[in-house]
Amino acid sequence: MTAFYRQSGSMMSDRKSLSSLADEFGTPLYVYNRGAIEHAWQEFETALQGHRHLICYAVKANSNLAILNILARLGSGFDIVSVGELRRVLAAGGQADRIVFSGVGKSAAEMAAGLEAGIRCFNVESDAELDRLAEVAAAHGVVAPVSLRINPDVDAQTHPYISTGLKENKFGIGMSHAMDSYRRGAEHASLAIKGIDCHIGSQLTRLSPYADAVALLIDMVDRLADEGIRLSHLDVGGGQGIAYSEDEASLDIGAWADCVIQGIGDRDLEIMVEPGRYVVGQAGVLLTRVEYLKNNEDRHFAVVDAAMNDLIRPALYSAWQAIEEVETLPRESQVYDVVGPICESADFLGKQRSLAIAQDDLLCVRSAGAYAAVMSSNYNTRARAAEVMVDGDDAHLVRARENIEDLFANEYLLP
Ligand code: LLP
């Protein structure tokens, strides 16, 4: 499904033109498309049909309440990494018993919040965390459901900053130690060992790392069963990649599911998956207006009103995201670095892009539904952008633009 398309030269989402949204809500503006989010989520649902499964949307990719609510209405589960995300999911109507709690550094207070809410499972990443969770659960007089996150030491073949399944990464429990951790967990009366999980990285576009990881995890499931530790689910994490450029292909979700199901064979294991980027990535764009065009010697710059505080992926990961004119207008084409107003050379949205634009024209940065608005900051005391959800004929404001005064409302002068 194409959430954003061109009609008579104008970029559209459903029946709304992006220009009309910029006029109504201002820029910079994040625009999401409800149908595209639902469609991407349904791809997992369809692919896993016939096998016991739970799709736990990775909230960190985009935690806007409207998005969580759209997914909750579909019956989605959620993968959270903080008490903040827990509160968001509950506020958006998500069901506690469909929440898994990931993350390498859960505090005792976060564990308590998860137990009080009655979440499905804690994805535990170390012996120390196992012991702490056992203590917190005992103090609450409850039994905590546990899965151990295994670090299978497989190469996800993605950007080093978003690769998580290698032993040099901080994540998970190493293969050689994991059996011991399971035995340790099984001894705690306040823990119920439920599953096994991994997350080997993000933006994976090949199946082989998944196949390798599942094979390693399944081997462990069998060895645990031999010792009498029986698991009821296998959580393969997220990571399904999308096509940021035309020369990339997104991961085929049908083929991905076949690969996981094949790896599980006839074992009675519920499949859990934690997709973030795949569900929302292509369902969002960032709209920005050209403030100035300028040249330094022979370099051409389009200075726009969105900046690295709005979208940090290009600066942080050298990520490439497509940038297009919102309206096709009769302009001379030029190669530009598209840069923001922030006082840093890393403040760019894209470099060396061929664009036909003039001052005050609108640009749209594609594939900005995931890890975009959620990673924004107030650097340079810039208010965060507004967010809008297009749904057919309607566009709903789902996050208001921040007020400048609110940005320093929690700061105090000295007496
Ligand atoms: N599960 C766990 C435990 C994770 O750590 C992550 C992402 C996911 C699921 C979801 O992964 P996804 O399906 O979205 O790839 N900020 C980076 C991506 C960081 C991903 C962190 N973990 C970026 O902008 O590319």
Side-chain angles (χ1 to χ4, degrees), residues 278-326:
Y278 194 91
V279 176
V280 289
Q282 301 292 37
V285 293
L286 172 61
L287 287 188
T288 181
R289 206 175 276 284
V290 177
E291 297 280 10
Y292 305 103
L293 297 178
K294 66 178 273 188
N295 311 333
N296 279 353
E297 307 291 338
D298 51 5
R299 197 89 171 180
H300 301 273
F301 295 93
V303 183
V304 299
D305 65 1
M308 66 190 288
N309 77 296
D310 300 299
L311 180 67
I312 202 174
R313 300 190 71 258
L316 191 57
Y317 312 115
S318 312
W320 190 96
Q321 296 188 212
I323 302 177
E324 289 177 34
E325 304 86 349
V326 168

Side-chain angles (χ1 to χ4, degrees), residues 58 60-61 79 81 102-103 123 125 149 161-162 164 171 198-199 201-204 237-240 244 274-278 313 317 370-371 375:
K60 65 168 79 69
D79 167 47
V81 291
S102 296
N123 291 348
E125 302 214 16
R149 176 170 175 178
Y161 282 15
I162 50 178
T164 46
F171 300 102
C198 71
H199 172 75
S202 199
Q203 185 54 16
L204 274 63
Q240 293 77 11
Y244 280 96
E274 304 166 357
R277 188 188 320 260
Y278 194 91
R313 300 190 71 258
Y317 312 115
Y371 303 112
M375 293 181 79

Side-chain angles (χ1 to χ4, degrees), residues 124 126-136 184-185 188 191:
V124 170
S126 65
D127 286 352
E129 186 190 338
L130 208 51
D131 294 347
R132 179 184 274 177
L133 182 59
E135 255 173 57
V136 176
R184 188 188 186 103
H188 283 293
L191 299 181

Side-chain angles (χ1 to χ4, degrees), residues 86-99:
L86 174 63
R87 296 238 188 103
R88 275 183 182 273
V89 170
L90 297 177
Q95 284 184 31
D97 63 1
R98 294 189 182 174
I99 294 175

Side-chain angles (χ1 to χ4, degrees), residues 161-227:
Y161 282 15
I162 50 178
S163 175
T164 46
L166 284 172
K167 59 181 176 216
E168 69 223 46
N169 301 125
K170 70 178 174 184
F171 300 102
I173 299 173
M175 288 295 288
S176 58
H177 186 69
M179 291 295 289
D180 279 344
S181 298
Y182 269 106
R183 292 179 196 119
R184 188 188 186 103
E187 276 169 19
H188 283 293
S190 57
L191 299 181
I193 304 295
K194 298 284 187 191
I196 188 163
D197 65 283
C198 71
H199 172 75
I200 53 178
S202 199
Q203 185 54 16
L204 274 63
T205 50
R206 298 195 191 146
L207 288 177
S208 57
Y210 284 106
D212 295 347
V214 169
L216 289 164
L217 263 55
I218 285 295
D219 177 59
M220 190 164 293
V221 169
D222 290 345
R223 284 188 283 139
L224 287 165
D226 289 344
E227 293 192 18

